[in-house]
Amino acid sequence: PTTLGKSHRGRPASCLLFAATPTARMVRFLTYNIFMRTPGISNPKGGDFKDERLEEFAKLVGNYDVIALQEMFSTATSRQKRCIHAAKKAGLVHCVKGPQAAFYRGKFVDGALVIMSRFPIVAHDLVEYTSAENSDSLAAKGCIYAKIAVPHGVIGNDNDEVPGGVPASGNAHFLHVFTTHLQASYTLVADESSMKIRRRQIEQLAQFVKRRTKCDDQVIVCGDFNIDATQEGVGREEYQGMLDTLHATCGLQERFADLLLDHHGDGQKHPNTTVPYFWNRSTGEEVVLQSYLIPWNGDVEDPPAREADGAEPAAGTATAGDSNRDRVGGGKPSKLMRKALRLDYLLWSGRSRSGTALWPECVQLVPFAVEGREFTHLSDHMGICVQFTCGLDADDSMVLAGQEAEV
């Protein structure tokens, strides 16, 4: 795994090399676009290896306490159900699923969102976006919410007091989790039409967060926002607009912090969260030559290393300094270029709270690379992992025994 920067408390980010057994007073959170598209949709020359990748991911789910997934479709496939079953076997026995397909409304596939938790989900909700275009309009895209009760000081599936991660009673810290997948763009520099749709979706998302939370709650908003903050100009402006809208509308005391960017270094260079895609240099349109999950055998040079790093990036790995000047055909100028994007975010609000119960210690960008299989990665996106430490002096308390979820 790739570790980034330093923690808020000065501990090295390498502490995010998670063990399979949780440590007490720790919550390990993962957001991940898992790229499990519906049956019949796959890239050429190799396909998507959906079942094989799901098999590999199922071996890893027990390494986390809360997992938010995007592109985990359930329409016409059992893969989402199998993923949830694997998570339950690993102790993540609580689950919330996203908006479902509704043919009569022209939504032919579900929203492909899932939150799985080791700790009780005591309230949940969802919203379906009213704006979409192109193929996105055929999916029930939206946002799902889970209010997760993390017990005081009894964290981990190895603790006898928390069999299966489910506390019988006691105090709890509350973590409010929202995950979403916004409208896609299909050009390297986003077009005005897709940006307009995303602005509407973000406004609807912000209203949803405001409705489900109080001003001093600890809140995570995460997922695939399809906003490429590595793009100077349009991309950065859209990214800043997203943060401004959330701050102005959600009603939280504290602005959302972009944890991946905060931990990455100077706070300016956004790390890529996808594998490199191919783009038409003239039009900026995406060019799908083969599956992004298998090695590229064409004559395309790897992006040059960043000067600050002084080393070539690993094969198949995107870096924050990827160039738009890659060549095809013996180093001669080509109509194609390779460029990875920063589309995935984990936004956090809650540091200003008195007696903060959960604190983001370390952040990790995980490529989920695999060896010995036909494919090189579990997805065309990378995961964002955050390790939260659990305090003992929270203001919130509740008796979980008999607590019913608010729907």
Side-chain angles (χ1 to χ4, degrees), residues 52-367:
E52 295 86 349
R53 291 188 290 113
L54 181 59
E55 177 186 343
E56 294 294 328
F57 183 71
K59 301 173 184 177
L60 304 174
V61 293
N63 292 348
Y64 308 96
D65 300 305
V66 181
I67 300 175
L69 295 177
Q70 305 86 47
E71 287 198 23
M72 186 70 252
F73 284 94
S74 65
T75 302
T77 176
S78 65
R79 294 188 188 99
Q80 186 185 101
K81 184 180 296 184
R82 283 148 52 194
C83 182
I84 293 171
H85 177 71
K88 288 183 176 179
K89 289 180 63 176
L92 286 75
V93 298
H94 308 275
C95 177
V96 174
K97 295 180 285 187
Q100 298 302 298
F103 295 146
Y104 68 94
R105 290 190 291 106
K107 302 300 180 181
F108 297 103
V109 295
D110 63 292
L113 301 173
V114 181
I115 297 173
M116 303 177 293
S117 174
R118 194 179 302 280
F119 313 115
I121 296 175
V122 298
H124 59 90
D125 201 353
L126 60 83
V127 64
E128 186 175 324
Y129 295 138
T130 55
S131 298
E133 67 174 6
N134 301 325
S135 59
D136 281 28
S137 65
L138 303 178
K141 281 202 163 184
C143 177
I144 57 175
Y145 160 71
K147 180 179 180 180
I148 299 175
V150 180
H152 288 176
V154 284
I155 297 176
N157 60 8
D158 58 339
N159 193 311
D160 292 337
E161 298 181 57
V162 198
V166 185
S169 63
N171 297 331
H173 310 306
F174 293 105
L175 187 60
H176 299 261
V177 178
F178 299 81
T179 192
T180 189
H181 190 181
L182 301 183
Q183 171 70 45
S185 295
Y186 298 96
T187 53
L188 183 57
V189 177
D191 60 286
E192 180 56 37
S193 179
S194 64
M195 289 193 294
K196 184 177 180 180
I197 295 292
R198 282 194 293 273
R199 285 195 293 269
R200 292 174 181 169
Q201 292 176 340
I202 291 167
E203 290 170 359
Q204 196 173 351
L205 166 64
Q207 290 291 345
F208 184 45
V209 173
K210 180 179 181 180
R211 177 163 59 88
R212 295 301 324 195
T213 60
K214 302 188 298 293
C215 64
D216 63 344
D217 280 339
Q218 298 178 106
V219 180
I220 289 175
V221 176
C222 65
D224 180 352
F225 284 52
N226 275 310
I227 296 173
D228 182 17
T230 67
Q231 290 287 343
E232 298 287 349
V234 171
R236 292 289 178 86
E237 291 173 6
E238 187 178 11
Y239 167 79
Q240 190 59 51
M242 175 262 294
L243 293 178
D244 291 344
T245 298
L246 290 174
H247 177 63
T249 306
C250 290
L252 300 172
Q253 288 181 356
E254 180 188 90
R255 290 184 69 93
F256 278 101
D258 181 348
L259 292 185
L260 184 59
L261 180 62
D262 286 353
H263 284 68
H264 187 258
D266 60 12
Q268 297 297 321
K269 293 183 178 179
H270 284 262
N272 294 319
T273 61
T274 73
V275 300
Y277 299 120
F278 290 98
W279 306 92
N280 184 302
R281 189 184 298 276
S282 300
T283 66
E285 296 177 342
E286 183 180 358
V287 180
V288 181
L289 301 177
Q290 65 172 41
S291 171
Y292 290 122
L293 303 175
I294 61 177
W296 170 247
N297 295 320
D299 188 11
V300 178
E301 297 178 1
D302 286 330
R306 289 172 289 177
E307 293 181 3
D309 293 346
E312 288 293 327
T317 299
T319 65
D322 283 354
S323 170
N324 286 354
R325 300 183 178 87
D326 298 330
R327 308 293 188 176
V328 179
K332 297 179 180 180
S334 168
K335 292 183 179 180
L336 297 180
M337 61 183 180
R338 291 193 343 147
K339 178 72 171 66
L341 311 175
R342 198 272 161 108
L343 304 179
D344 305 275
Y345 298 87
L346 197 158
L347 308 177
W348 159 261
S349 178
R351 292 193 192 96
S352 62
R353 184 181 182 192
S354 174
T356 296
L358 295 169
W359 189 266
E361 278 282 346
C362 303
V363 181
Q364 181 185 34
L365 182 63
V366 183

Side-chain angles (χ1 to χ4, degrees), residues 3-32:
T3 54
L4 304 175
K6 296 182 178 179
S7 74
H8 282 290
R9 297 185 182 179
R11 300 179 186 176
S14 58
C15 68
L16 278 174
L17 203 56
F18 296 141
T21 302
T23 302
R25 301 181 61 203
M26 179 192 301
V27 177
R28 300 150 313 158
F29 186 100
L30 170 69
T31 179
Y32 190 35

